[in-house]
Each structure stands twice: as structure tokens, then as C-alpha cells.
Amino acid sequence: CDWSSDVCSSDLSFLLLCLVGAASLDEEKNRPVTKVINLLKDMQAQLQKEQEEDEEVYEKVACWCETNDKEKTTAIADAEARITDLTSSIEEHTATSSRLNTEIKNLEAEIAKNQEALDKATALRQKELAEFNAEEKDLLMSIGALKSAVTVLSKHHESLAQVDDTQLLSVAAVIQDQFRKHKLMLEEIVTPAQRKAMKAFLQAPGDYFDADPTFKQSYAPQSGQIFGILKQMKETFENNLSASQKDEMAAQQAYEDVKAAKEAEIKAGEEQRDTKTQELANTDEALAQAKQDLEDTRNSLSADQKFLMNLKQTCQMTDQEWEERQKARQEEIQAVSEALAILSADDAHDTFTSTFNFVQKASKQESNRDKAATVLFQAAKTYGNQQLAAI
């Protein structure tokens, strides 16, 4: 090559220009502006990464807020409905308990009344039975005594045999004793004539038959009269005994009927009382459980309401903080982007002009860099970003 030729000079110039450009590229890598640009690019990437991570965390928090909000809202609604049901159940159980207590008291009073009636009927029956036994014993003894007296007088009346005075005195004692015991009853059946004959016989039993009769038949009227009175007395006592025994049987049957009826009423009352007592126990247990459930449900409701209120406040603050962070981060990103745009444009222009010797005013370069610095400083000051402030 002829270095003096124009062609050679042109090639040399181009080669020098390329060498200068390559040197400029090496220089560019170590220029302060380029370092700032690289820092801003790293910061921009970091801000984007933080934004993505923040969005992921926020989505989880938002999901947690929504899930808990729904769950607690449903739990509160269920608790309020359950409180309404429990309140109604408590009122119902309280009314049932009061009713059962009243019914049990009435049944106990009725049972006591029937038992008292049965006790009175039993006491009366025992008294009547004792009276009957005494009367029956007395009548049996009287009938036995009268039978003996009739037997004694029947010998004299039928065979006209002479009766021993001792036996007559015994008969007289029997008659006198019966008139003493059963005066009212005997006075109703003995006629005045019979009473007169009886009086004469009682005054002198031995002399009543001692007259020396002309004929045997003369004894008959006197002995027959006394004999008839004794038989009449015996038959009356026997009839009274039979009637008394029949009355006793009827009274005993009536008592058995009353007893059976009262015992049936008492048993039915006791069964109802026992059933209602068990029902009352179940009702009171259900009432106590409902009251406990109501208290637990109210406590749970209060806790859920408090939790939901705090949840809404927390989640609302989280949303606000998220929006503020998003806004701040977007503005930081925007500030970094603007700074990058300014510095990149300024740096490219500076590199281009220094490489190809294009003339640029220094004031223009300084103005762009100052503008970028101002943007970064304002962003750093507003959001307290130390990295931006350092840049």
C-alpha cells in the first residue's frame, strides 16, 4: 500500500476510527454513568422481583381473609340461629317443667287423698269387724246359754218331770243376764203378760213350779209360758246373729270393693307420678343442657364477632397497605425507568458523539443527568429508599 495515496489514507483513517471506537467501548464500560445505569437496571429488576413476591404474599393473605371472612360470617349466622332455637327450647322446657311440677304436686295430693280415704275405710272396717266379733261372740254365748235353759225347761215341759231347783236357778240367772245385756232388744219382743210371768219366775224360780197340782197338766201352762219365752229369745238371738253375719259379709265386700278401687286409683296415680317425675328429670336435664349450650354459643358468637371485626380491620389495613406499596413501588419503578431513559439517552448520545466527534454542548449533558438525579432523589426522599438516595 502506498501510504501517500488517498486510498491508503482513507483506509488508515477508518482503521483509526475503528480503533478509537473500540477504545471508546472499553471506556464506556468503566464510565460512572454506565455504572449508575447498571445499578438502576439491577434495582429495576429487584423492584420487579419484589413486586411479584409481594403480589404472591398478598394473594395468599387476601385468600386467607376471604376464607376466614366467609367461615366466620357463616359461623355467626349459624350461632345466631342456634341462639334463637335454644332460647325457644329453654322457654319450652321451662314451661314444661313448671307444668310437670304442678301435675306431680296434684297427683301427690290425689294419691294422699285416696290413701287417706283408704286408711279411713280400713280403720272403720277394723272397728266394725271388732264390734261384729264382740257382738257375734256375745250372741253365740247368749244362744248357747238359752239353748241350755231351753233344754232344761223342755224336760219339765214335755215330760212333766220335776226340775232340780239348782237348774231352775241357773235358768233364771240366764234369763236375768240376757235381759240385762239385751234389754232393749228383748223389751221389743216380750209382751207384758210374758214379762209378768218372767218376773214371777225370776223372783222365785223354785217356787214357780212347786205347787202341788191336782193334775199333771196344771204344770203345763206355767212351764210352757217360760219355755216359750226362752225359745223366742233364742230364735231372736239366732236371727240377729244371722242378720249381723250377713251385714258383716256385705260390709266386708263393700270394703274390699272400696279398697280395690282406691288401691287401683293410688297405683294409677303413682304410675303417672313416676312417669311425670322421670319426664321432669329429662326436661330439667334438657333445660340445663340448653342453658349451657346457650351460654357456650353466646361466648362463641362473641369471639367470632370480635375475630371477624378484627379480621375486617386487619384485611382492610392490609389492602390499604398493599395499595400504598403498589403505588409507591410503581412510582419507584417509574422513577427508575425515567432515570434509565434519561441516562441511557444521555450516555448513548455522549458515546456516539465522542466516538464520531459530533459536537454536543456540555450544558445539555449536565441538564439530563441533573434531571435524572432529581427524579431519583425525589423518589428516594418520598419513599425513604436509601438505595435511590445513594445512587
Side-chain angles (χ1 to χ4, degrees), residues 215-283:
F215 305 100
K216 289 183 179 181
Q217 288 79 6
S218 62
Y219 294 98
Q222 291 177 326
S223 62
Q225 190 175 20
I226 300 302
F227 181 76
I229 293 172
L230 289 175
K231 286 187 66 177
Q232 186 178 2
M233 290 172 61
K234 184 176 77 68
E235 290 174 357
T236 300
F237 288 166
E238 289 175 342
N239 291 335
N240 288 346
L241 176 61
S242 177
S244 179
Q245 290 174 336
K246 289 180 181 179
D247 291 343
E248 167 60 21
M249 291 179 62
Q252 181 64 28
Q253 185 60 48
Y255 167 74
E256 294 295 337
D257 293 341
V258 170
K259 180 182 178 182
K262 290 301 179 183
E263 287 179 343
E265 291 177 359
I266 291 171
K267 182 179 179 180
E270 289 175 342
E271 290 177 351
Q272 291 183 28
R273 179 197 61 192
D274 294 342
T275 300
K276 291 185 181 295
T277 299
Q278 183 60 48
E279 185 179 354
L280 176 62
N282 295 338
T283 300

Side-chain angles (χ1 to χ4, degrees), residues 85-359:
D85 293 340
L86 287 171
T87 301
S88 177
S89 296
I90 289 173
E91 293 176 353
E92 182 180 352
H93 290 324
T94 301
T96 302
S97 178
S98 177
R99 174 179 59 80
L100 288 172
N101 274 301
T102 300
E103 291 177 352
I104 289 172
K105 288 181 180 179
N106 292 337
L107 284 171
E108 288 177 344
E110 184 178 353
I111 292 170
K113 182 179 179 181
N114 288 328
Q115 186 63 52
E116 182 181 2
L118 178 58
D119 292 342
K120 287 182 177 180
T122 301
L124 179 61
R125 178 85 282 272
Q126 291 174 349
K127 179 181 179 182
E128 291 174 347
L129 180 60
E131 291 175 351
F132 165 76
N133 289 333
E135 182 181 2
E136 183 184 44
K137 180 180 179 181
D138 184 60
L139 287 174
L140 287 173
M141 292 177 64
S142 297
I143 291 170
L146 290 171
K147 281 183 178 181
S148 298
V150 169
T151 300
V152 171
L153 289 183
S154 65
K155 294 178 180 179
H156 179 76
H157 177 67
E158 294 174 358
S159 63
L160 299 177
Q162 189 67 30
V163 179
D164 186 78
D165 289 344
T166 304
Q167 292 178 326
L168 291 176
L169 289 173
S170 176
V171 171
V174 169
I175 294 173
Q176 190 173 11
D177 185 53
Q178 298 307 316
F179 266 93
R180 180 178 59 80
K181 290 181 179 178
H182 307 286
K183 179 180 179 181
L184 296 177
M185 180 177 63
L186 292 176
E187 284 180 352
E188 292 179 357
I189 63 173
V190 177
T191 64
Q194 290 175 328
R195 188 177 296 108
K196 183 178 179 181
M198 190 67 66
K199 184 177 181 181
F201 174 71
L202 292 176
Q203 287 177 349
D207 296 339
Y208 191 74
F209 301 114
D210 281 348
D212 294 331
T214 306
F215 305 100
K216 289 183 179 181
Q217 288 79 6
S218 62
Y219 294 98
Q222 291 177 326
S223 62
Q225 190 175 20
I226 300 302
F227 181 76
I229 293 172
L230 289 175
K231 286 187 66 177
Q232 186 178 2
M233 290 172 61
K234 184 176 77 68
E235 290 174 357
T236 300
F237 288 166
E238 289 175 342
N239 291 335
N240 288 346
L241 176 61
S242 177
S244 179
Q245 290 174 336
K246 289 180 181 179
D247 291 343
E248 167 60 21
M249 291 179 62
Q252 181 64 28
Q253 185 60 48
Y255 167 74
E256 294 295 337
D257 293 341
V258 170
K259 180 182 178 182
K262 290 301 179 183
E263 287 179 343
E265 291 177 359
I266 291 171
K267 182 179 179 180
E270 289 175 342
E271 290 177 351
Q272 291 183 28
R273 179 197 61 192
D274 294 342
T275 300
K276 291 185 181 295
T277 299
Q278 183 60 48
E279 185 179 354
L280 176 62
N282 295 338
T283 300
D284 289 343
E285 182 179 359
L287 177 60
Q289 185 62 50
K291 288 181 177 180
Q292 184 61 49
D293 290 346
L294 178 61
E295 182 180 357
D296 294 342
T297 303
R298 282 175 173 168
N299 293 335
S300 177
L301 174 62
S302 178
D304 288 343
Q305 288 174 334
K306 184 178 180 180
F307 179 87
L308 182 60
M309 181 180 67
N310 293 333
L311 175 69
K312 288 183 178 296
Q313 292 177 351
T314 301
C315 292
Q316 185 177 5
M317 291 177 61
T318 300
D319 291 340
Q320 292 176 353
E321 291 173 356
W322 158 253
E323 291 176 358
E324 291 174 359
R325 287 199 309 274
Q326 282 290 90
K327 182 179 178 182
R329 186 173 287 107
Q330 288 298 326
E331 292 180 354
E332 287 180 357
I333 292 174
Q334 184 178 357
V336 171
S337 297
E338 290 178 359
L340 276 173
I342 294 170
L343 293 176
S344 296
D346 179 51
D347 191 50
H349 184 69
D350 183 38
T351 302
F352 179 78
T353 54
S354 62
T355 302
F356 295 98
N357 293 318
F358 288 105
V359 178

